Amino acid sequence: MARPFLASWLLLQAGIPPQNLKAASPPPPKLKVHGYLTARVDATTVAILDDQIHLGSAKIVAHDSAGEHPIPSADLATGMLVEAEGIWTGHHQFAAEKVTVDAGLLEKQIHYTAYLQEEPKDAEKIKNGASAELKADGEWLLVDSKTKRSWSAPEATVVNASDTGGTKTPGATPDAGNHASLAGYRVEYHGARLADGKISAEKLELSAPAPVDAYKMPHGLEVVRAKDPQTGIDVLEFRRGKKVDGRMKLFPDKTVQTYVSDLGDSLLPAGSKGTTKALEFRFFVIEDSSINAAALPDGTVLVNTALLGAVENEAQLAFILSHEISHVLQVHYWREVHETRPQRISLLIAGIAAGAFIGDLGLFMAELGMISVINGHQRELENQADRLGLQNVIEHGYDPRPAPGFMRIIVERYGARSTSKLWSNHDSAVLRGSFLTVQLQKQYPDHRFDGTKVNTAAFDEMRDALGPVRIE
Ligand SMILES: [Zn+2]
């Protein structure tokens, strides 16, 4: 029977050493822990969330373009992305034999792009060459006399989000620093990370919002509310033209659907009105037993019932919805297609499987070449969505501290089941939980979150209406 072995393997992957393996005579297999260092415990110990990594005589190397080179263990610091190889010696205790540090995090030079999700408060100062702070991309950018800046909003046609159909409205061109909206505009920034986590901006460049195409669904795909013709139950239909490619079952309870939809709408940042194509964000609860949520490029956000059953409070759900909203506003699907995998776009699926799929969105998205909306985008984009997710919940009066806590729950309670299925393929809950922890420590050290929103009566009512859900 392979089952006991499999169970052990899952526990090990989840960071929980199965006690019954201790007595086994063959040497335990080498295992890996991958994540951001969340604490330096003492001279010989570092931590990734709850896992303590004992360095002992571990070989510590930094990995960069020149290959691997050893670094002293004293250099290991909070925030570094590491992969530790070794063995579990107890609950949350890991003895490392080798620790590899990702060079990307050793580099203090930052170069990112983001679309402004909020109105920059100091736009006028930035335009006039004065010193200013810019909160963008979930980062704090310090702008001073040394910052090379290009801060005049180029011509862009922005439609009001209340217009439907994405018709262009000439004359609605915002002008930087003129009290017109800059939310939605693209910012490219270069800078150096300071000890306090803020970024000293060396270069700052404002440019046009993302083009209309960035919010289009590929393959002419449309997601439409409908009734299943056989059973009459409420479904979401995935259509191309008149052809129905598939249907997903909507959770039938109205209280649950309305709660999630209202919460999602309440979290939309100003940037959602500054897009070149009028976006209609729609939030749907799908009957699905995997802990996951997904966002499609047009603003359709799908939340699985298992996710609603797994979150502990509204603050966690608000963070997850904010993360998904950021995937849309940061046009991650489009960026991925255009910036990182131009060769793959030619693989347009000639013919999606002839029969309509029922329920398996992952399979369907894989066929459409859109699996990243389900499994997670490349790490930089997931990190950006997490940074902006935190920024957004803080803006909306929520306590951001439960967000990393949710990743811990996933690790402890559901282990690798969630990571192996849909939650995220290459960004495990450990990776995300540790990133969020570091992000909160570094970016918001002085914030006092006591008294901010954690839970609401509406959340509890939603949970009552949801009832017990299947989670696998
Ligand atoms: Zn994501």
Side-chain angles (χ1 to χ4, degrees), residues 277-310:
K277 183 179 195 297
L279 282 186
E280 188 203 349
F281 273 89
R282 299 180 301 167
F283 300 86
F284 295 108
V285 179
I286 301 292
E287 271 196 31
D288 192 308
S289 58
S290 56
I291 302 171
N292 205 5
L296 303 177
D298 71 342
T300 305
V301 177
L302 309 175
V303 179
N304 291 355
T305 42
L307 179 86
L308 293 181

Side-chain angles (χ1 to χ4, degrees), residues 37 60-64 71 75-77 80-83 99-106:
L37 295 181
I60 297 164
V61 298
H63 190 92
D64 58 27
I71 58 167
D75 285 4
L76 289 181
M80 286 178 173
L81 178 60
V82 305
E83 183 177 85
V99 176
T100 307
V101 181
D102 188 308
L105 273 255
L106 290 176

